[in-house]
Amino acid sequence: MPSAEKIVILVRNSLITLNGALRTGNYTVLRDIGAPGFREANSAARLSQIFSNLLTQEVDLSAVAVVAPQLTQQPVLDQEKGMLHLKGYFPGEPMQINFELLYQAVNGQWRLFGISVQPGPSQDAAEASRANPDTR
């Protein structure tokens, strides 16, 4: 299991790379940082289609460089498959950035194998909405 610091670096690097792809329209670096199976399954054009919703919503992921990610579940390490699963969010107002990442151990390095990133209401906004349903 990677250290807590290494997990933060993995998450930040992946989302910063995705942010660069969103800003430039060039998804080749995102593809190239992936594990072999990720690269085989995803062309740069396919990644552009997958993340087009973030582009349409004008999601800016640059805050992930300075905001600490919050994990919503303990990191899961499947040693048999050499996979690390991370799930959490980067807090923000009025939106937070939810993520789910899967990494594969390749030659002693964690390489991106799966990525899901979605904006959502901040935890504070969600809690306030649940506490006072009349404000919906």
Side-chain angles (χ1 to χ4, degrees):
M1 179 66 70
S3 68
E5 293 83 10
K6 179 67 173 174
I7 287 172
V8 169
I9 290 169
L10 285 169
V11 172
R12 279 191 174 145
N13 283 347
S14 298
L15 271 64
I16 288 169
T17 302
L18 174 58
N19 193 56
L22 292 168
R23 298 293 156 247
T24 64
N26 184 347
Y27 290 80
T28 55
V29 173
L30 180 63
R31 181 185 173 275
D32 291 348
I33 67 168
F38 180 83
R39 291 193 308 265
E40 291 167 12
N42 297 292
S43 67
R46 183 167 189 272
L47 290 171
S48 174
Q49 291 172 335
I50 290 169
F51 293 109
S52 64
N53 64 323
L54 296 178
L55 197 56
T56 302
Q57 296 174 56
E58 299 180 356
V59 173
D60 182 1
L61 301 175
S62 58
V64 305
V66 294
V67 176
Q70 306 296 310
L71 297 181
T72 55
Q73 67 182 39
Q74 288 291 339
V76 176
L77 180 60
D78 181 339
Q79 292 184 345
E80 194 173 297
K81 295 180 182 176
M83 296 283 194
L84 173 65
H85 180 235
L86 304 173
K87 186 175 183 179
Y89 67 95
F90 283 90
E93 289 294 332
M95 278 190 324
Q96 68 183 28
I97 301 300
N98 301 306
F99 64 85
E100 192 164 356
L101 301 163
L102 189 61
Y103 295 92
Q104 182 178 37
V106 178
N107 298 325
Q109 290 189 319
W110 291 109
R111 305 289 297 264
L112 188 64
F113 191 82
I115 179 170
S116 173
V117 176
Q118 296 294 325
S122 69
Q123 292 287 22
D124 292 340
E127 288 171 13
S129 177
R130 283 191 296 273
N132 188 0
D134 295 337
T135 60
R136 285 187 204 165

